[in-house]
Amino acid sequence: MKIVTQNKKAFHDYFILETYEAGIELKGTEIKSVRLGHVNLKDAFIRMKNDEAFIENMHIAPYEQGNIFNHEPLRNRKLLLHKKQIKKLQREVKENGLTIVPTKLYFNTSKLKVEIALARGKKLYDKRQDLKAKDAKRDMERALKNAY
């Protein structure tokens, strides 16, 4: 498994409750651009329409040698999920007010997969607590490293 990109902002802004692996429908120049690492998941999110899942705001830079066949960088791309998974995600979003965010983009053998997560938004004080814990952990590791 080769990780192309991760969405660190999602882990900062949300509590991740459950993850799923989904395929993604891409055009030829998009997959070439992704293989070069020209992709950004920062502001991306998943929207459900007509019992289908779409990833929106995922930026894939145009391919340099793409000429007239190049793609639109921010177009909506269809996610490939099982019908049961889509129904469950729709139900969770509707009933519990959760959101679906992409967390990781990676190659599983030669296929591009996106890891999506069912998430609950963090409040400002939750984010502050996470940052404090992260700083404390970093300080402890630094102290241990300097002790030896």
Side-chain angles (χ1 to χ4, degrees):
M1 181 169 86
K2 180 188 172 217
I3 296 174
V4 178
T5 186
Q6 287 186 324
N7 189 356
K8 292 179 183 174
K9 187 177 178 190
F11 291 99
H12 181 262
D13 291 344
Y14 299 100
F15 291 114
I16 305 300
L17 305 175
E18 201 173 339
T19 60
Y20 297 90
E21 181 182 73
I24 186 166
E25 194 176 87
L26 296 175
K27 294 182 177 176
T29 55
E30 288 176 326
I31 195 71
K32 289 181 179 184
S33 190
V34 168
R35 284 188 191 280
L36 294 173
H38 299 164
V39 62
N40 186 0
L41 287 176
K42 196 174 190 178
D43 297 322
F45 61 95
I46 312 308
R47 179 171 285 156
M48 300 291 188
K49 290 184 217 162
N50 303 331
D51 293 336
E52 292 180 330
F54 292 92
I55 188 165
E56 298 185 9
N57 270 1
M58 181 173 80
H59 185 272
I60 298 178
Y63 185 57
E64 286 93 26
Q65 287 85 37
N67 61 36
I68 62 167
F69 299 107
N70 242 333
H71 60 277
E72 187 181 325
L74 286 175
R75 78 177 185 90
N76 298 342
R77 295 160 181 95
K78 186 176 177 181
L79 292 180
L80 308 171
L81 288 161
H82 293 283
K83 188 161 274 194
K84 282 183 181 179
Q85 289 176 325
I86 291 174
K87 294 286 186 191
K88 183 179 184 215
L89 288 170
Q90 283 179 326
R91 187 175 56 251
E92 290 287 340
V93 167
K94 195 173 190 178
E95 292 174 3
N96 300 334
L98 301 177
T99 191
I100 308 167
V101 291
T103 55
K104 197 186 297 181
L105 199 63
Y106 58 93
F107 283 101
N108 189 355
T109 62
S110 64
K111 307 259 190 287
L112 184 70
K113 301 287 183 180
V114 61
E115 182 181 87
I116 60 174
L118 206 53
R120 177 176 285 118
K122 284 185 182 177
K123 304 281 188 234
L124 186 60
Y125 57 84
D126 291 327
K127 294 179 190 178
R128 286 188 191 132
Q129 283 178 338
D130 285 350
L131 287 174
K132 282 182 187 176
K134 191 175 175 184
D135 288 342
K137 183 179 177 185
R138 188 181 319 118
D139 290 341
M140 281 194 318
E141 287 176 357
R142 192 177 296 140
L144 286 173
K145 183 179 174 187
N146 292 337
Y148 293 108

